Amino acid sequence: MRILLTLCMMVLGNMFMTTAWYWHLNSRASSGKTVPVIILTSWMIAFFEYCIMVPANRLGFSAGMSAAQLKVAQEIITLCVFAPFAMIFLKEKWHTDYLWAFLCIIGAVYFVNRHNF
């Protein structure tokens, strides 16, 4: 149950981080804003990511996940959050490279967990 909560917190945190890093690439969202304002806005959004991710990683680690497992889980979540964000918010087209990247990360999941199977 703690691992499931960790993963849910990671998804939520990553949604904030993806927004913090990429929202300004949408010209409608950042129109007329200076770079310092964009940076400050991104840091304010990222603050919430840290408030979620730090406890999530501590919870996952206390539940028995290794640092490597936490990192690989975060990378999978990053890709799963980023691809829809890029397509919906930034209006980017789907690329099969997203699929290949996801499959590579699945390989990483295997290698970081293979001694647990």
Side-chain angles (χ1 to χ4, degrees):
M1 187 56 119
R2 290 188 302 162
I3 291 175
L4 180 60
L5 180 57
T6 297
L7 296 175
C8 290
M9 290 172 71
M10 288 177 137
V11 169
L12 182 60
N14 197 275
M15 292 169 82
F16 279 104
M17 201 64 204
T18 299
T19 302
W21 285 356
Y22 299 105
W23 71 272
H24 59 89
L25 298 180
N26 182 313
S27 60
R28 293 182 314 265
S30 63
S31 179
K33 293 178 177 64
T34 63
V35 171
V37 169
I38 290 171
I39 291 169
L40 183 60
T41 303
S42 290
W43 272 99
M44 288 188 304
I45 297 167
F47 170 77
F48 295 103
E49 185 264 349
Y50 280 85
C51 289
I52 297 166
M53 288 302 294
V54 170
N57 279 294
R58 291 178 61 84
L59 179 64
F61 193 75
S62 72
M65 294 178 76
S66 70
Q69 289 171 324
L70 289 164
K71 181 60 181 171
V72 170
Q74 181 56 44
E75 294 304 326
I76 291 169
I77 291 166
T78 296
L79 188 57
C80 290
V81 168
F82 176 77
F85 180 90
M87 290 184 290
I88 294 166
F89 189 73
L90 300 176
K91 308 293 186 219
E92 293 188 7
K93 291 184 166 69
W94 169 261
H95 297 283
T96 54
D97 290 344
Y98 294 155
L99 175 63
W100 303 130
F102 187 73
L103 291 174
C104 288
I105 292 175
I106 294 299
V109 169
Y110 167 76
F111 284 111
V112 83
N113 289 298
R114 71 182 170 158
H115 296 293
N116 297 329
F117 294 128

